[in-house]
């Protein structure tokens, strides 16, 4: 197990370096310069470039960047004069993380409930109802859903704030808008898994032994149906990262997503690099954690060359 | 198996606890005031609630400056002059000023009551220090080009000059604490107006040096001498301006507080306006239909003119008949009235009406009138003539355009009109983010380009120099000797004011009327909703705002 984790970690670092390198060179192929402005002449642009070290050959800039990166220095933004990339990410990431985590947790819990209910009440009104909700959640784009929520709940009914991020009540609408997709995905998945598990022989055996229905569901059915859910949690978390971008914009939430897009549009190289690396690190980490969790919860997966043999 | 599950369970629980702990960050320091549409606070305090489009890029006078930076700066820091409600130049921190007879030496007498928020007076050295900093290669301001008229400024910015970077050669001097003397290269008549730009604002040397790298990054790293002080700045989220009680003209400032909150989406802004969270909402064209009959609907004109650049590097566009046909063939009125709908006016000019008043009281615009305003039939005749001269039947042009919704629709409209009215013409639209678009333009890697220009001071050369053949922004190979001659003279010779304007009118006629080097599109307007109790909101032509004279009357 230790060896496995160690080698996965090595791959992580390598992937990270590859991403850093590709992003750096691709980013510099973007047309335009951060100092393009209607009013700046070529000579003035050259002066600005010099001020920020952009006049050096790309390779030199690349190794300088890597050196700084190792020292934990992500550089200084061009669009926000004098502000460090670390502080730009630091100021915004907390909000994005809370919003993303809240949506993931709320969405997963609700999705599981819907999925279980649908499976247990298979082919009833409850089943169809849950699945209609799930299909709607999957098919309505989150910006449409967010806009509708904002208008109806915020403006017309005035139950919740229209926008901004100044307390828990401000986070409810954006969370719902983001979680809809999670609820739908998890519910559909859970329903199918439960139906599958409930048809297995060991469930029939357990029933025959006279086990209480609630215990049967929790101990025997649910536990086995949960395993595949872990696999989709990783990709779901990643899709939330992109989802927050739109939702943050609509609800005027000071998160990282919008800043990322803006930095690309303004050729703010240090911020593009910083945010890309941050997102990729997060993504790689999720994949890593999911891999580890997988080994931990599924007894059928065993690694060769270490640990005890599975017996079940 | 049991062991594995326990680890899983524990880590899940730990993870959830960790995330729950994170939430506190979102709830930090809630404002004690209640924000409702009726303004529970308004009984004793006058508070204006506004939306801003994003984070403030910089609050350094030598930093990157957009409309937002400039708006905040001109409300918290004051220079020698400022623009009033009607965009007229009025004194800032000065009592008086003198101009020498040759118009080359300005002496400013500072107002001793104009104090910084740390109690020190605003001194002549604060200007000298800030100005030299804006020109020094290590700290050069993106807007350093505005220093052009001051003696020595161009050489200091020219890497090939022996004076490069020698800011001590700049023609500015503190005669004593309260007297500032400035030497000009040319007697530009608009020098005081130029000084209203934040790049000419003061920085107190003592304070700025003390702050080092941190200067202007947070509320505590700034001092103020303007009508308001920045008292709160949560990046990318909200900031607050409060009345500066020590401001020399404090009695004319009515607002107690202005709260800005970042709103990144027009629909959200409109929704916030509807619920009363904000007092002013900027509108994009899709919302104008809904609100244009409302009493709260306002438009203002910007000093921004858009035009189609026609790149004469492309052989087909060297033909003047083709260029004229393109300029005439599409309906500019409809673009302003039906597509933009925000108070923009159709342009048959480059120097817009109301921009410059001549010494005899006439408008600069009057002499030339509407240039190249023809009918579709005339355009088609010119087009056919041009095609015959070129010996072709069909032409395809790529049109470079902006990537925002509003200007996208204008580009689509132009494409449809031109293709419909000029048989054989195909237009391909190439949308680019602004920075990339500017790069393509500067490299002349386009055929037609939807482009714009904004002035800094009210003088026709601001717009006309763009098309000087050796100018830095003539990205279309337009060259006309007479045009160049007029422009060159107009930038150095200010002796005969009336004669200078007459010649500049001639130049504009050459550019559009005779040569159709560009096809003017429109002078931009902007539309917004303003709550009826907000009075005196000053929207300047350069897309900035001053709140000094704004009041709330409930």
């Amino acid at each position: 197990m230790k060896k496995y984790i160690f080698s996965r970690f090595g791959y992580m670092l390598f992937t990270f370096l590859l991403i850093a390198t590709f992003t750096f060179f691709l980013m510099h192929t973007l047309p335009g310069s951060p100092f393009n402005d209607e009013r700046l002449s070529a000579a003035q642009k050259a002066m600005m470039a010099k001020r920020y070290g952009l006049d050096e050959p790309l390779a030199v800039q690349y190794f300088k960047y890597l050196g700084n990166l190792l020292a934990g220095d992500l550089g200084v933004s061009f669009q926000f004069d004098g502000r460090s990339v670390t502080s730009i990410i630091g100021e915004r990431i907390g909000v994005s993380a809370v919003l993303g985590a809240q949506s993931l947790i709320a969405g997963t819990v609700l999705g599981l409930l819907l999925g279980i209910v649908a499976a247990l009440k298979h082919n009833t009104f409850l089943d169809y109802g849950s699945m209609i909700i799930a299909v709607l959640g999957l098919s309505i784009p989150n910006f449409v859903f967010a806009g509708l929520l904002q208008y109806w709940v915020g403006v017309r009914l005035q139950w919740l704030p229209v926008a901004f991020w100044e307390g828990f009540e401000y986070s409810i609408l954006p969370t719902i808008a983001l979680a809809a997709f999670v609820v739908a995905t998890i519910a559909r998945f859970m329903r199918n898994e439960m139906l599958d598990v409930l048809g297995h022989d060991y469930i029939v055996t357990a029933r025959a032994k006279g086990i209480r229905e609630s215990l049967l569901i929790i101990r025997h059915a649910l536990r086995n149906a949960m395993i595949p859910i872990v696999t989709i949690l990783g990709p779901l978390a990643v899709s939330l990262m992109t989802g927050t971008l739109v939702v943050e914009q609509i609800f005027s939430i000071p998160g990282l997503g919008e800043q990322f897009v803006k930095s690309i549009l303004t050729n703010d190289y240090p911020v593009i690099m910083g945010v890309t690396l941050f997102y990729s690190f997060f993504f790689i980490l999720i994949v890593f954690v999911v891999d580890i969790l997988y080994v931990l919860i599924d007894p059928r997966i065993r690694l060769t060359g270490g640990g005890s043999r599975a017996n079940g | 198996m049991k062991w594995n599950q326990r680890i899983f369970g524990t880590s899940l629980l730990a993870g959830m606890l960790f995330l729950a702990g994170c939430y506190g960050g979102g709830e930090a320091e809630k404002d004690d005031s209640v924000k409702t549409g009726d303004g529970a606070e308004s009984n004793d305090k006058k508070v204006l609630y506004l939306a801003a489009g994003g984070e403030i890029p910089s609050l350094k006078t030598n930093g990157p400056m957009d409309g937002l930076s400039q708006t905040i700066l001109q409300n918290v820091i004051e220079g020698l002059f400022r623009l009033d409600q009607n965009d007229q130049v009025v004194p800032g921190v000065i009592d008086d000023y003198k101009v020498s007879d040759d118009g080359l030496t300005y002496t400013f007498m500072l107002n001793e009551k104009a104090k910084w928020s740390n109690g020190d007076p605003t001194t002549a050295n604060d200007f000298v220090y800030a100005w030299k900093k804006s020109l020094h290669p290590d700290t050069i301001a993106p807007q350093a080009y505005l220093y052009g008229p001051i003696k020595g400024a161009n050489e200091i910015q020219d890497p090939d000059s022996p004076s490069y970077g020698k800011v001590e050669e700049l023609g500015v001097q503190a005669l004593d604490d309260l007297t500032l003397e400035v030497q000009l290269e040319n007697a530009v008549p608009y020098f005081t107006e130029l000084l209203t730009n934040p790049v000419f604002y003061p920085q107190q040397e003592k304070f700025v040096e003390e702050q080092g790298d941190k200067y202007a990054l947070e509320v505590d790293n700034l001092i103020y001498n303007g009508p308001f002080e920045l008292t709160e700045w949560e990046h990318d989220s909200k900031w607050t301006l409060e009345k500066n009680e020590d401001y020399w003209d404090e009695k004319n400032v009515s607002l107690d507080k202005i709260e800005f909150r970042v709103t990144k989406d027009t629909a959200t802004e409109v929704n916030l306006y509807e619920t009363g969270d904000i007092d002013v909402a900027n509108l994009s064209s899709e919302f104008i239909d809904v609100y244009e009959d409302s009493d709260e609907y306002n438009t203002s004109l910007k000093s921004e003119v858009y035009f189609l650049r026609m790149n004469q590097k492309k052989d087909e566009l060297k033909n003047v008949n083709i260029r004229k046909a393109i300029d005439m063939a599409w309906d500019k009125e409809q673009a302003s009235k039906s597509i933009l709908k925000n108070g923009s006016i159709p342009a048959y000019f480059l120097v817009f009406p109301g921009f410059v008043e001549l010494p005899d009281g006439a408008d600069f615009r009057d002499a030339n009138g509407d240039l190249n305003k023809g009918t579709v039939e005339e355009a088609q005749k010119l087009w056919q003539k041009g095609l015959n001269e070129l010996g072709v039947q069909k032409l395809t042009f790529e049109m470079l355009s902006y990537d925002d919704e509003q200007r996208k629709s204008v580009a689509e409209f132009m494409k449809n009109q031109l293709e419909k009215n000029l048989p054989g013409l195909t237009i391909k639209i190439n949308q680019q983010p602004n920075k990339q678009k500017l790069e393509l333009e500067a490299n002349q890697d386009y055929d037609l380009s939807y482009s714009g220009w904004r002035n800094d001071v009210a003088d026709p050369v601001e717009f006309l120099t763009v098309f000087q053949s050796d100018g830095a922004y003539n990205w279309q190979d337009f060259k006309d000797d007479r045009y160049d001659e007029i422009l060159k003279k107009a930038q150095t010779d200010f002796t005969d004011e009336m004669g200078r304007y007459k010649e500049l009118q001639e130049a504009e006629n050459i550019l559009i009327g005779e040569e159709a080097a560009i096809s003017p599109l429109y002078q931009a307007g902007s539309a917004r909703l303003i709550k009826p109790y907000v009075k005196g909101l000053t929207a300047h032509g350069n897309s900035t705002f001053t709140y000094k004279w704004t009041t709330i009357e409930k």
Side-chain angles (χ1 to χ4, degrees):
Chain A
M1 187 75 186
K2 259 183 203 156
K3 202 173 155 194
Y4 174 72
I5 293 180
F6 194 72
S7 75
R8 290 296 316 219
F9 193 72
Y11 280 126
M12 260 177 78
L13 286 182
F14 181 67
T15 317
F16 194 65
L17 184 71
L18 272 186
I19 292 174
T21 310
F22 271 112
T23 316
F24 188 89
F25 288 101
L26 281 176
M27 168 180 86
H28 279 275
T29 62
L30 278 177
S33 116
F35 312 116
N36 273 358
D37 180 284
E38 277 89 346
R39 303 306 294 257
L40 287 192
S41 69
Q44 286 158 339
K45 270 187 265 182
M47 272 179 100
M48 295 298 293
K50 198 169 172 197
R51 178 177 162 187
Y52 288 98
L54 290 177
D55 55 337
E56 292 179 280
L58 210 51
V60 176
Q61 290 184 44
Y62 171 69
F63 285 108
K64 271 194 179 162
Y65 186 84
L66 279 195
N68 290 339
L69 186 63
L70 284 179
D73 177 10
L74 290 172
V76 176
S77 162
F78 298 152
Q79 41 167 342
F80 303 119
D81 192 31
R83 219 169 276 288
S84 77
V85 176
T86 328
S87 76
I88 288 176
I89 296 178
E91 277 154 11
R92 292 163 177 81
I93 189 57
V95 177
S96 291
V98 169
L99 180 59
Q102 205 163 284
S103 311
L104 189 64
I105 293 170
T108 308
V109 171
L110 198 64
L112 287 177
L113 283 177
L114 275 182
I116 293 167
V117 169
L120 294 180
K121 308 285 174 194
H122 191 40
N123 286 337
T124 66
F125 170 71
L126 279 172
D127 182 17
Y128 300 139
S130 304
M131 284 310 109
I132 286 172
I133 294 179
V135 170
L136 284 180
L138 278 178
S139 48
I140 301 180
N142 57 13
F143 62 89
V144 174
F145 195 44
L148 288 173
L149 279 175
Q150 183 181 60
Y151 183 69
W152 286 102
V153 185
V155 180
R156 298 302 289 266
L157 298 171
Q158 306 225 353
W159 286 349
L160 287 166
V162 169
F164 305 134
W165 188 260
E166 290 167 7
F168 178 72
E169 70 271 28
Y170 289 82
S171 75
I172 298 174
L173 290 184
T175 302
I176 296 176
L178 263 180
F181 176 75
V182 181
V183 172
T185 313
I186 301 257
R188 278 164 48 96
F189 220 83
M190 193 62 196
R191 173 175 174 272
N192 294 347
E193 285 302 322
M194 277 295 275
L195 287 177
D196 183 46
V197 168
L198 286 174
H200 273 87
D201 290 347
Y202 63 86
I203 298 285
V204 180
T205 314
R207 276 223 175 90
K209 282 179 168 175
I211 189 173
R212 261 188 296 130
E213 189 68 13
S214 57
L215 207 61
L216 173 92
I217 302 291
I218 292 169
R219 179 173 289 173
H220 297 280
L222 204 52
R223 180 166 288 173
N224 286 301
M226 281 288 282
I227 294 169
I229 299 292
V230 175
T231 18
I232 58 165
L233 278 182
L236 268 181
V238 172
S239 76
L240 276 183
M241 271 164 36
T242 47
T244 50
L245 196 152
V246 182
V247 172
E248 276 170 10
Q249 181 165 349
I250 292 174
F251 289 101
S252 295
I253 296 169
L256 197 56
E258 196 251 354
Q259 193 46 57
F260 188 34
V261 178
K262 213 170 136 199
S263 67
I264 297 173
L265 291 181
T266 54
N267 287 49
D268 192 346
Y269 301 138
V271 177
I272 301 179
M273 281 305 285
V275 180
T276 309
L277 291 183
F278 183 84
Y279 274 149
S280 4
F281 176 76
F282 187 66
F283 180 72
I284 297 171
L285 194 73
I286 288 177
V287 174
F288 178 67
V289 170
V290 168
D291 277 353
I292 305 288
L293 280 182
Y294 221 36
V295 177
L296 289 181
I297 58 170
D298 191 343
R300 283 167 300 191
I301 299 177
R302 273 298 173 262
L303 302 163
T304 49
S308 56
R309 291 267 157 216
N311 53 7
Chain B
M1 185 165 170
K2 278 256 149 46
W3 181 81
N4 282 342
Q5 282 167 346
R6 209 160 288 157
I7 293 187
F8 176 56
T10 320
S11 56
L12 200 68
L13 196 69
M16 284 170 84
L17 282 173
F18 167 73
L19 290 169
C22 260
Y23 196 80
E27 230 170 349
E29 41 183 317
K30 274 191 73 179
D31 206 292
D32 46 359
S33 60
V34 186
K35 283 162 216 132
T36 61
D38 316 313
E41 254 189 330
S42 64
N43 299 332
D44 44 340
K45 277 197 161 184
K46 288 185 169 143
V47 187
L48 179 65
Y49 295 104
L50 296 173
E55 165 73 337
I56 310 170
S58 172
L59 286 181
K60 290 177 193 168
T61 63
N62 57 329
M65 201 71 59
D66 67 349
L68 180 57
S69 281
Q70 195 166 338
T71 293
I72 304 298
L73 272 172
Q74 71 197 15
N75 284 291
V76 300
I77 298 183
E78 190 161 79
L80 298 167
F81 295 92
R82 66 162 61 244
L83 290 179
D84 74 359
Q85 295 97 314
N86 306 311
D87 279 357
Q88 297 301 308
V89 180
V90 293
V93 298
I94 58 166
D95 276 333
D96 200 6
Y97 73 104
K98 281 189 309 209
V99 190
S100 64
D101 291 339
D102 60 3
L104 289 174
T105 308
Y106 280 71
T107 315
F108 302 99
M109 279 67 89
L110 301 188
N111 179 350
E112 58 180 357
K113 283 180 285 179
K115 289 199 163 49
W116 288 104
S117 50
N118 63 359
D120 298 338
T122 307
T123 66
N125 185 57
D126 298 342
F127 288 92
V128 176
Y129 172 73
W131 292 13
K132 287 183 174 170
K133 210 170 144 181
S134 294
L135 287 174
H136 194 280
D138 294 342
T139 47
I140 184 149
Q143 286 176 310
Y145 68 89
L146 289 174
Y147 280 84
I150 300 180
K151 202 173 164 192
N154 289 327
E155 289 74 29
I156 294 169
Q157 292 179 78
D158 177 5
D160 303 323
S161 153
S163 300
Y164 175 66
K166 291 186 181 152
V167 291
E168 60 279 7
E169 291 181 12
L170 186 69
V172 54
Q173 205 184 349
L175 298 182
D176 62 51
D177 271 2
L178 295 176
T179 317
L180 180 74
E181 190 190 87
V182 184
Q183 308 277 342
L184 300 191
E185 200 79 57
N186 299 308
V188 292
Y190 47 78
F191 186 58
T192 55
E193 190 186 352
L194 202 57
L195 293 176
T196 61
N197 190 290
V199 80
F200 293 103
Y201 283 4
Q203 290 187 12
Q204 192 189 61
E205 182 168 6
K206 182 183 80 176
F207 181 83
V208 174
E209 294 295 324
E210 205 177 274
Q211 298 298 322
D213 283 350
K214 290 202 173 63
Y215 174 64
L217 290 188
E218 307 293 336
V219 170
D220 297 337
N221 311 123
L222 271 165
I223 48 172
Y224 316 96
N225 70 345
F228 297 94
E229 295 183 12
L230 186 70
T231 54
E232 184 195 23
W233 186 6
E234 277 180 43
H235 301 294
D236 213 14
S237 168
K238 65 186 236 181
W239 49 88
T240 307
L241 300 186
E242 285 183 60
K243 183 176 175 178
N244 178 1
E245 300 295 343
D246 299 323
Y247 177 55
W248 65 272
D249 197 20
E250 167 277 328
K251 62 179 191 302
N252 283 319
V253 182
S254 158
L255 287 179
D256 291 300
K257 196 168 160 185
I258 309 167
E259 277 199 16
F260 291 84
R261 285 193 282 179
V262 173
T263 310
K264 294 163 179 168
D265 185 85
T266 313
T268 308
E269 201 167 325
V270 170
N271 286 340
L272 287 165
Y273 182 85
E274 286 287 340
T275 53
D277 286 283
I278 53 175
D279 296 327
V280 179
N282 296 300
L283 297 179
S284 54
S285 37
E286 66 264 35
F287 288 99
I288 291 175
D289 291 333
V290 185
Y291 290 103
E292 61 188 340
D293 297 327
S294 157
D295 293 340
E296 298 168 19
Y297 179 78
N298 284 274
T299 59
S300 60
L301 271 172
K302 301 199 250 186
S303 52
E304 234 170 70
V305 176
Y306 287 89
F307 45 83
L308 196 65
R309 287 181 189 262
M310 299 191 237
N311 187 2
Q312 298 189 26
K313 210 170 143 186
K314 177 109 176 163
D315 285 335
E316 293 87 337
L317 287 169
K318 283 195 180 119
N319 185 301
V320 64
N321 290 318
I322 295 287
R323 295 201 303 269
K324 272 194 184 162
I326 290 177
D327 187 22
M328 261 181 220
W330 62 283
D331 190 340
K332 298 177 183 182
E333 313 272 337
Q334 214 189 328
S336 297
K337 293 209 173 66
S338 317
I339 310 285
L340 289 160
K341 299 179 286 192
N342 56 4
S344 301
I345 57 171
Y348 303 92
F349 49 74
L350 183 61
V351 180
F352 56 84
F355 183 57
V356 179
E357 192 187 317
L358 304 191
D360 63 4
D363 193 289
F364 182 86
R365 185 74 268 117
D366 295 347
N368 281 332
D370 289 341
L371 293 165
N372 261 353
K373 186 179 184 177
T375 60
V376 174
E377 289 72 34
E378 288 174 69
Q380 284 169 339
K381 264 186 209 142
L382 288 164
W383 178 250
Q384 207 47 54
K385 200 171 158 202
L387 289 181
N388 292 342
E389 281 163 5
L390 293 168
V392 292
Q393 295 291 315
K394 285 189 166 109
L395 283 177
T396 302
F397 293 129
E398 183 200 67
M399 182 162 82
L400 206 51
S401 164
Y402 298 92
D403 65 345
D404 58 291
E405 285 304 323
Q406 194 161 20
R407 289 184 287 192
K408 256 190 220 170
S409 0
V410 175
E412 294 285 347
F413 175 78
M414 279 195 285
K415 174 186 153 80
N416 288 340
Q417 289 261 307
L418 288 174
E419 287 182 347
K420 190 181 81 186
N421 295 335
L422 300 178
L425 176 64
T426 311
I427 303 261
K428 288 183 183 150
I429 296 181
N430 177 9
Q431 278 166 17
Q432 293 286 339
N434 199 32
K435 300 265 174 197
Q436 278 84 319
K437 177 173 168 286
L438 287 166
E439 182 85 2
L440 293 170
E441 284 183 320
N443 295 336
Q444 291 190 250
D445 197 356
Y446 71 94
D447 303 332
L448 304 171
S449 176
Y450 180 178
S451 202
W453 198 257
R454 189 172 89 188
N455 70 300
D456 291 302
V457 290
D459 192 276
V461 297
E462 285 278 305
F463 286 101
L464 294 168
T465 45
V466 175
F467 305 99
Q468 252 181 302
S469 65
D470 57 350
Y473 319 102
N474 180 4
W475 299 323
Q476 51 203 9
D477 280 7
F478 166 70
K479 188 172 180 351
D480 183 277
D481 293 336
R482 174 68 184 143
Y483 187 88
D484 284 351
E485 187 192 331
I486 294 172
L487 264 296
K488 207 169 167 197
K489 189 176 159 207
Q491 286 171 86
T492 48
D493 183 357
F494 301 92
T495 44
D496 174 12
E497 205 185 346
M498 197 62 196
R500 179 172 173 266
Y501 284 134
K502 291 269 175 239
E503 286 193 334
L504 288 170
Q505 286 171 333
E506 186 192 335
E508 192 194 32
N509 186 46
I510 294 174
L511 182 75
I512 303 167
E514 291 176 15
E515 288 291 323
I518 53 169
S519 171
L521 310 177
Y522 57 92
Q523 180 191 357
S526 54
R528 57 184 70 85
L529 294 171
I530 303 175
K531 294 276 186 197
Y533 49 77
V534 178
K535 309 275 185 219
L537 182 77
T538 306
H540 299 294
N542 59 4
S543 302
T544 66
F545 294 85
T546 301
Y547 308 108
K548 180 175 168 179
W549 306 283
T550 308
T551 59
I552 287 189
E553 289 159 19
K554 284 188 185 173

